[in-house]
Structures are given as structure tokens and as C-alpha cells.
Amino acid sequence: MPTTYSISDLARELDITTRAIRFYEEQGMLNPERRGQERIYSARDKVSLKLILRGKRIGFSLAECRELIELYDPTGNHKQLETFMRKIAERREQLRQQLLDIEQMQLELDTAEERCLAAMAQVPA
């Protein structure tokens, strides 16, 4: 018998709220079975949820997470892994650019601060 999870099982195990799980379900990223009002999540849903949470931690958008989930193939996930590696490289490049932008902004702040201090030194108190 396949392993299944209730929404509270997943929330507890992955340390997220049931509301977050329902949000991802509303976005079409999870597809639990229904037994009346009860949601029954599969092992695949759990893997998808882990991928979403990992993607969020490293700055992926929901669309990027969805793309990776859609590439999942239980017989072999080479294409999914290649796409994930490409997205990791893209994210690294974005972060490198953000670091350069921050360094440039810090230099501009330093210059503005120096000018303010010099101007204040010339104005009588």
C-alpha cells in the first residue's frame, strides 16, 4: 500500500502551515486525493512540497518550482536535474550581480557621506 499523508502530517513533518500547503494546492502544484473533506497526499505530493520549499529557500519563483515539478519522471529524472542545475547557475549569476550592485551602492553611500561630513565641517555649528 502506498504511503499517504494528511495535511497535518505534512505540515508537522515539513514544519510549515496547513494554509501554505493549501496555497500550493490552489496553485496546482499539489494534487491530493479527496475523501469527503479530507485531503490525502501521496509520496509524490510530499516530494513536490519539499522541492517547492527548497526552491523558495534558494530564491526560485513559484513558476520555476512548478516547472521543475512538471519535469518529474519517476522512471528517471535526468531532464529535471539538468533543468535544476541550469536554474541554480542562473540564480548564482543573479546573486553575483546583486553583490556587485550592493558594492556599487556602498561606494556611492560612502562618497555621499564623505561629502556631507566635509560640508558639515565647513559650516559653523
Side-chain angles (χ1 to χ4, degrees):
M1 181 170 179
T3 303
T4 59
Y5 306 89
S6 70
I7 194 168
S8 53
D9 291 338
L10 283 179
R12 187 173 37 260
E13 193 170 329
L14 300 175
D15 194 30
I16 60 173
T17 65
T18 56
R19 178 67 195 117
I21 295 171
R22 286 190 296 272
F23 172 77
Y24 297 127
E25 183 183 338
E26 290 165 7
Q27 298 300 309
M29 300 172 82
L30 302 172
N31 298 301
E33 291 181 34
R34 296 284 187 151
R35 286 190 199 138
Q37 294 286 61
E38 186 180 10
R39 293 169 166 89
I40 307 298
Y41 294 88
S42 67
R44 181 182 174 128
D45 288 320
K46 182 179 175 183
V47 169
S48 295
L49 192 50
K50 284 181 171 182
L51 186 58
I52 293 165
L53 296 173
R54 182 178 301 128
K56 275 185 51 184
R57 280 193 306 272
I58 58 179
F60 288 175
S61 68
L62 281 181
E64 289 171 313
C65 292
R66 180 180 291 108
E67 179 184 353
L68 291 169
I69 289 167
E70 289 171 355
L71 289 172
Y72 176 75
D73 180 356
T75 63
N77 58 355
H78 190 74
K79 187 172 183 178
Q80 183 188 41
L81 293 172
E82 284 179 340
T83 302
F84 196 28
M85 291 293 292
R86 181 177 45 78
K87 290 192 174 300
I88 287 170
E90 290 169 2
R91 183 66 180 136
R92 282 186 197 277
E93 185 53 38
Q94 288 172 348
L95 290 171
R96 278 189 205 99
Q97 186 58 54
Q98 286 176 336
L99 279 172
L100 291 173
D101 293 345
I102 290 169
E103 289 169 355
Q104 182 62 41
M105 191 178 299
Q106 286 177 322
L107 289 172
E108 290 177 21
L109 288 170
D110 290 344
T111 301
E113 183 179 45
E114 289 170 10
R115 288 181 180 163
C116 286
L117 288 171
M120 287 173 59
Q122 293 179 0
V123 176

